[in-house]
Amino acid sequence: MITLPLTRRRFGQALGALTVAFSLTPPVCAATGAGLPGSLAGNRMLDAWLRINSDGTVTVCTGKVELGQGILTALEQIAADELDIAPERIKLISGDTAQTPDEGFTSGSQSIEYGGTALRYACAEARDILLKLAAKKLGTAYDKLTIADGTITAADGTITAQGGQKTTYWKLAAEVDLHREASAGVPPKPPEQHRLVGKSRPRIDIPAKVTGGAAYVQDIRLPGMLFGRISRPPSYRAELVSFDEERVRKLPGIAAVVRDGRFLGVVAQREEQAIAGRDEISRAATWRETPSLPPPDDIYAYLTSLPTEDHLISSKGGDAPPAAHLSLAAKHTRPYTAHASIGPSCAIAQFADGQLTIWTHSQGVFPLRRDLAKALDMDEVKIRCIHAQGSGCYGHNGADDVALDAALLARASNGRPVKVQWMRDDEFGWEPYGPAMSVELRASLDEAGMVIDWTHDVWTNTHTTRPQKDGCNLLAAWHLAQPKLPGKPEIIPQPAGGGDRNAIPLYDFPRQRVTHRFIPQMPIRVSALRALGAYANIFAIETFMDDLAKAAKTDSIEFRIRHLSDPRAIAVIKAAATYSGWQSDMPAGTGKGRGFGFAKYKNLSAYLAVVVDVEVDRQTGRVRVTRATAAIDAGQVINPNGLVNQTEGGIIQAVSWTLKEQVRFTSEHITSRDWSRYPIITFPEVPEIRVTVLDRPNERSLGAGEAAQGPTAAAIGNAIAHGTGIRLRDLPLMPDRLKGAFG
Amino acid sequence: MTDVIELTVNGRTHQLDIAPDTPLLYVLRNDLELNGAKFGCGLAQCGACTVLVDGKPVRSCAYPVDAVQGRAVTTIEGLGTIENPHPVQKAFIEEQAAQCGYCINGMVMTAAALLKRNPHPDDIAIRQALAGNLCRCGTHARILRAVGRAAREMAR
Ligand code: FES
Ligand code: FES
């Protein structure tokens, strides 16, 4: 092994070392970069992606970051294959504003599609440059050379003009110039030449994570480091009436008490002292509160009553609806849902010589840096954000916010680094939730049982309030005496979509109208949660398809296939049906049910079909998912075990969302602020899971990390309907309506 | 108010001058610089901070440091190392039983304690033992497989 596992001490040092060895900007003014594949388009210099080192290693830089999805392992596989080197030679640098390309956010299951593609082309081109140089050095024809683990040999074995027949990347390292614009002119290897891509490879980060090695931002310790905590207002709009700072300062170990507007925080020598300081702040501060949250019992009526911007995102077929044999309509809802990371958000900040350094588990170190600069009135170049892993986030949680909290506390700490971790209730109370949504569907069937008309209306807030161009989207910035206000809520455009993600059905309907009713006003803070609107839209479409199949007296799977022409869609559906032993005539209403769900995520990414078995307790109405059998087609698979891991995880998380989860609030307060008020799935409730991967090595890799969310929810709803005869359309699917209602 | 507290962690004895009601978690993480036990909730609800005290799993976030005086504390670092992992750690690596991995400390420690108490647990017993340990990434299926594998390995 050349990359040694980082020990605790070395980890701190490695992170502390500041190395800005090369420039990310092209020497000549770069054009837009249009035409280059993946993230190369925005980061055109080859040495922004990789450098060959004389010590036998290759430094690979990626703007994508590890979130527990195994991306770094997969990127190593890609680079090692393209360069013909052992993956152990790779030194990865990920998500560092001083060292890596700006690839925006690691989100939306796009890392392999964009980051992986860029790396693949950059490595292919670098390999070509090295080979050309070697040919010249060895005096051999380019096409006579072979590479094995970085050693370049003249294949015919002839002693060359210069006398040698071998050289290595490492010998050529000093002479090879990768500080040049990528041309993307060297085609990457075809799949049959891959040695690592497509094969399961153990994740590089797991050994440290199971032995107590330094793996997370929480594990970084810097010399002289202090501990900080923040004490937020009791509710979104609470105003600070008075605050007795002295009470807090008197406590043991307190290094600073920070008050800026209604932002209150404390810094202490020891972590438990900071926590005690935080508790004391809540006693020493008095607040004026006004009810500011929407009516909890009627949230969907409230949301749909707010002004909307309506976008007709799909329109097919004539103006007049066709004559129908039968029509159905249904309304579906999805509650505010928490990211609920197991580890609360954490960051470390240090001011030294007018520079701010932040260690963060943000999904986008460059966008975060921009917002930090706005919040702190600093020049962006004076801020460096370095990614270090955190607890799984599944979207936009408190990661970015806590970075600003740490910076604000570090600013009051005389150059000493400050580590801030949110408390459990900070995370549950202030994270931006997955938005509540309402989806109305109408459809008509003809005599033959085919859908002839389809209408989908989705009411939703934005699904991203991440740091963006305008405004400042960091929580503490809104609480400062001179507040920086958030940016205008953004619509993520089709075809990926945000709240309208997957609202356009993949089925071939002759007439359809799909409308995104975008609600700009956000009574509760929201942002990106895994799968965005796809979760609710697919739940609605796929449960409604089952209702229509029933009305057409057709098997659910048969009914779907009749409306599909995409062969890959049909293949995953059939695979899930086969592996689950699907039978169209399973007895209904017995308390045991079986249901199906399918989607092509974003209508652009991975195809996933799942069959779910449930058991419903007749007395209590409690639903248990006993088994989930899924098939997934994510195009070319880089690391099959990693793909299965993510898919299993997606299914289990979706079971949890679908059966248990909703953010609870009164008109004043968010009340689900610990695990007892926001329960998630536990081991006794976890189903048996089987995932089958349909590998397509000649197809492009498709984002897969979020593919399971919607189909799993729908399959559960359909299984409950099958087992009880009761159709639940309001998420989460709670037992009260099933109690004693069947059998 | 601080006190000299003597505690034995992974076989080594330490003397620390700290407040006796300090939760063990912060002592392990910040004074002894052990990374394994994690802060998840501080409320004894999630299990991320699990360590063994005299072989029994406890939630170090809600366990005052003076309560472990005279008792043996084992953290995941004391269970095994990358070079020489405990069978449970080895099984977690072999089953690739982690996504973000933040919960995994608690899973490994709770499973190690279970297998000591009951070397042949069935699926239900494993699920019951881990019922109070939360995982948000949905790694449960793999964790169950890893614990099953560790039990088999240890029985050999
Ligand atoms: S951190 Fe101790 S149980 Fe959650
Ligand atoms: S692996 Fe991420 S919380 Fe369990």
Side-chain angles (χ1 to χ4, degrees):
Chain A
M1 286 284 285
I2 285 151
T3 22
L4 293 164
L6 288 163
T7 63
R8 182 167 8 110
R9 203 129 293 145
R10 292 223 315 283
F11 190 56
Q13 286 166 358
L15 291 163
L18 218 139
T19 44
V20 191
F22 64 100
S23 120
L24 295 175
T25 33
V28 285
C29 179
T32 58
L36 288 180
S39 306
L40 264 188
N43 305 276
R44 306 169 60 109
M45 301 307 288
L46 279 182
D47 68 348
W49 296 94
L50 77 158
R51 277 165 277 158
I52 310 292
N53 307 316
S54 54
D55 65 355
T57 61
V58 175
T59 303
V60 169
C61 299
T62 171
K64 299 295 181 183
V65 299
E66 183 62 53
L67 306 170
Q69 82 284 43
I71 185 65
L72 298 187
T73 307
L75 292 176
E76 274 197 6
Q77 287 174 269
I78 290 174
D81 258 358
E82 232 31 87
L83 288 168
D84 285 312
I85 56 169
E88 288 77 16
R89 291 190 182 274
I90 295 175
K91 291 197 290 193
L92 262 179
I93 300 176
S94 148
D96 179 344
T97 54
Q99 300 196 70
T100 66
D102 178 359
E103 294 191 72
F105 293 103
T106 302
S107 68
S109 307
Q110 295 176 352
S111 301
I112 295 290
E113 284 187 58
Y114 290 82
T117 300
L119 193 57
R120 178 172 274 153
Y121 275 92
C123 289
E125 191 161 347
R127 178 182 181 274
D128 178 67
I129 293 169
L130 283 157
L131 272 182
K132 282 185 182 139
L133 186 60
K136 209 158 96 201
K137 291 251 148 198
L138 297 175
T140 316
Y142 177 100
D143 55 10
K144 291 260 156 50
L145 297 174
T146 59
I147 310 176
D149 194 20
T151 297
I152 305 172
T153 312
D156 51 8
T158 50
I159 303 297
T160 62
Q162 275 74 11
Q165 54 167 333
K166 259 188 198 163
T167 184
T168 63
Y169 287 0
W170 336 116
K171 281 190 200 141
L172 300 173
E175 282 171 73
V176 68
D177 179 19
L178 297 182
H179 192 60
R180 53 167 95 174
E181 274 201 50
S183 69
V186 181
K189 291 185 177 172
E192 56 279 10
Q193 287 179 27
H194 289 150
R195 295 162 302 128
L196 299 162
V197 165
K199 299 212 176 58
S200 288
R201 173 161 186 261
R203 286 240 314 261
I204 53 180
D205 54 330
I206 288 182
K209 287 177 174 176
V210 304
T211 52
Y216 305 93
V217 67
Q218 283 90 347
D219 302 332
I220 298 173
R221 298 177 188 88
L222 300 175
M225 191 174 77
L226 299 168
F227 296 87
R229 287 293 186 274
I230 28 85
S231 179
R232 303 269 183 228
S235 52
Y236 284 171
R237 300 226 191 110
E239 285 166 61
L240 187 59
V241 178
S242 68
F243 176 41
D244 181 0
E245 286 182 44
E246 273 319 300
R247 272 182 68 170
V248 185
R249 264 184 235 287
K250 281 204 308 254
L251 295 182
I254 300 299
V257 178
V258 175
R259 171 189 188 164
D260 187 339
R262 37 190 207 124
F263 174 83
L264 305 178
V266 58
V267 183
Q269 305 294 335
R270 296 185 54 90
E271 189 161 19
E272 68 277 6
Q273 292 169 337
I275 295 169
R278 174 184 188 263
D279 293 345
E280 192 62 23
I281 293 179
S282 60
R283 288 186 287 270
T286 43
W287 299 88
R288 188 181 312 113
E289 293 190 77
T290 37
S292 59
L293 299 182
D297 299 328
D298 218 359
I299 178 69
Y300 305 105
Y302 176 79
L303 285 174
T304 50
S305 75
L306 294 174
T308 58
E309 286 170 23
D310 295 341
H311 301 267
L312 183 66
I313 57 169
S314 170
S315 173
K316 240 178 22 181
D319 281 348
H325 169 63
L326 188 149
S327 295
L328 296 180
K331 194 174 143 191
H332 311 77
T333 62
R334 170 257 170 112
Y336 292 104
T337 312
H339 297 78
S341 299
I342 291 293
S345 298
C346 180
I348 301 171
Q350 179 169 29
F351 278 91
D353 311 322
Q355 285 272 347
L356 168 63
T357 308
I358 302 260
W359 289 264
T360 168
H361 55 99
S362 167
Q363 287 179 275
V365 287
F366 288 90
L368 169 62
R369 179 172 72 164
R370 285 194 284 276
D371 264 17
L372 284 170
K374 295 178 213 162
L376 298 164
D377 291 315
M378 282 178 75
D379 187 348
E380 219 182 279
V381 299
K382 295 231 154 28
I383 304 175
R384 177 180 180 192
C385 295
I386 304 170
H387 183 265
Q389 293 186 49
S391 180
C393 60
Y394 334 100
H396 179 200
N397 66 353
D400 294 307
D401 297 324
V402 75
L404 176 57
D405 294 339
L408 290 167
L409 297 191
R411 201 160 62 173
S413 301
N414 300 317
R416 290 176 71 176
V418 179
K419 182 194 279 185
V420 178
Q421 184 161 22
W422 280 9
M423 300 301 283
R424 185 78 256 155
D425 61 316
D426 292 324
E427 191 79 39
F428 266 133
W430 288 93
E431 64 145 290
Y433 310 113
M437 296 167 66
S438 183
V439 181
E440 279 186 31
L441 297 180
R442 274 169 290 139
S444 301
L445 294 174
D446 65 11
E447 301 258 355
M450 293 296 285
V451 175
I452 47 171
D453 194 15
W454 179 273
T455 313
H456 184 129
D457 289 87
V458 50
W459 281 262
T460 177
N461 281 150
T462 181
H463 284 245
T464 176
T465 61
R466 294 180 189 273
Q468 61 184 38
K469 252 203 202 86
D470 71 315
C472 181
N473 283 353
L474 302 175
L475 175 59
W478 315 334
H479 295 172
L480 300 177
Q482 311 267 294
K484 305 284 188 310
L485 296 177
K488 210 168 123 307
E490 282 182 348
I491 288 185
I492 301 171
Q494 287 286 332
D500 56 345
R501 180 165 293 177
N502 278 98
I504 301 174
L506 197 70
Y507 301 107
D508 306 318
F509 300 142
R511 183 176 188 276
Q512 69 188 27
R513 300 284 183 277
V514 181
T515 309
H516 179 193
R517 302 193 187 275
F518 179 76
I519 310 165
Q521 198 177 319
M522 290 170 282
I524 289 185
R525 186 180 187 213
V526 294
S527 193
L529 173 63
R530 194 178 197 172
L532 311 190
Y535 172 65
N537 288 315
I538 294 167
F539 169 74
I541 292 172
E542 287 293 292
T543 49
F544 200 52
M545 282 298 277
D546 255 35
D547 291 347
L548 289 162
K550 201 170 168 196
K553 300 195 177 53
T554 311
D555 171 67
S556 322
I557 290 184
E558 172 59 33
F559 184 73
R560 284 172 175 81
I561 290 175
R562 273 192 208 166
H563 289 90
L564 279 171
S565 50
D566 182 337
R568 289 172 75 177
I570 294 169
V572 283
I573 291 176
K574 287 191 169 160
T578 307
Y579 292 117
S580 66
W582 180 268
Q583 290 168 341
S584 51
D585 51 356
M586 282 192 30
T590 65
K592 287 191 181 189
R594 181 160 249 228
F596 176 83
F598 158 78
K600 178 183 184 184
Y601 181 56
K602 292 182 188 171
N603 291 338
L604 297 167
S605 294
Y607 299 81
L608 185 136
V610 60
V611 173
V612 156
D613 293 299
V614 301
E615 284 175 22
V616 185
D617 185 292
R618 201 147 64 84
Q619 255 106 53
T620 62
R622 270 179 54 105
V623 178
R624 184 164 135 63
V625 176
T626 55
R627 180 183 298 167
T629 311
I632 182 164
D633 169 359
Q636 180 195 42
V637 179
I638 310 297
N639 186 350
N641 188 284
L643 173 65
V644 171
N645 195 357
Q646 271 207 306
T647 306
E648 288 174 353
I651 292 171
I652 293 173
Q653 191 177 68
V655 172
S656 184
W657 288 0
T658 303
L659 292 180
K660 304 186 77 144
E661 296 185 28
Q662 75 190 106
V663 173
R664 296 184 183 275
F665 50 93
T666 63
S667 55
E668 273 179 329
H669 299 122
I670 306 288
T671 54
S672 47
R673 298 185 70 155
D674 67 26
W675 293 113
S676 72
R677 295 282 293 162
Y678 193 92
I680 61 169
I681 197 165
T682 61
F683 274 93
E685 301 164 307
V686 168
E688 178 196 329
I689 297 183
R690 285 178 299 181
V691 176
T692 301
V693 177
L694 279 63
D695 189 18
R696 296 191 183 270
N698 293 306
E699 300 285 349
R700 154 179 97 76
S701 294
L702 300 173
E706 303 161 292
Q709 309 309 108
T712 304
I716 296 171
N718 290 336
I720 293 172
H722 175 240
T724 66
I726 297 166
R727 169 60 71 194
L728 301 181
R729 301 184 203 279
D730 298 305
L731 294 161
L733 308 177
M734 293 298 235
D736 21 322
R737 279 198 48 217
L738 300 172
K739 210 187 278 184
F742 66 96
Chain B
M1 276 295 286
T2 62
D3 240 328
V4 176
I5 305 276
E6 186 172 295
L7 74 166
T8 306
V9 180
N10 302 330
R12 282 183 53 189
T13 303
H14 306 262
Q15 282 174 346
L16 298 166
D17 196 11
I18 44 173
D21 60 351
T22 304
L24 175 60
L25 176 65
Y26 305 118
V27 177
L28 296 174
R29 289 192 58 81
N30 302 330
D31 295 292
L32 306 189
E33 302 199 353
L34 296 169
N35 297 315
K38 296 285 187 292
F39 175 82
C41 64
L43 304 164
Q45 291 179 338
C46 74
C49 63
T50 304
V51 299
L52 306 183
V53 175
D54 287 344
K56 294 211 179 60
V58 305
R59 310 231 144 160
S60 65
C61 71
Y63 207 83
V65 65
D66 69 342
V68 298
Q69 295 207 77
R71 305 169 73 183
V73 179
T74 308
T75 70
I76 200 167
E77 291 89 346
L79 213 58
T81 58
I82 290 195
E83 297 75 29
N84 188 17
H86 182 277
V88 173
Q89 291 169 315
K90 197 160 160 262
F92 271 69
I93 296 172
E94 278 161 1
E95 291 292 341
Q96 292 285 292
Q99 285 177 67
C100 79
Y102 201 87
C103 68
I104 294 298
N105 166 71
M107 304 297 175
V108 168
M109 297 312 282
T110 309
L114 165 73
L115 296 182
K116 198 134 206 206
R117 202 173 69 235
N118 173 6
H120 305 290
D122 60 10
D123 182 60
I124 294 176
I126 298 174
R127 287 171 184 256
Q128 276 313 326
L130 293 171
N133 286 73
L134 301 178
C135 172
R136 186 50 161 169
C137 296
T139 312
H140 306 70
R142 281 167 181 243
I143 293 169
L144 291 171
R145 286 202 289 276
V147 180
R149 176 193 276 256
R152 285 194 305 279
E153 286 293 315
M154 289 167 78
R156 287 220 245 147

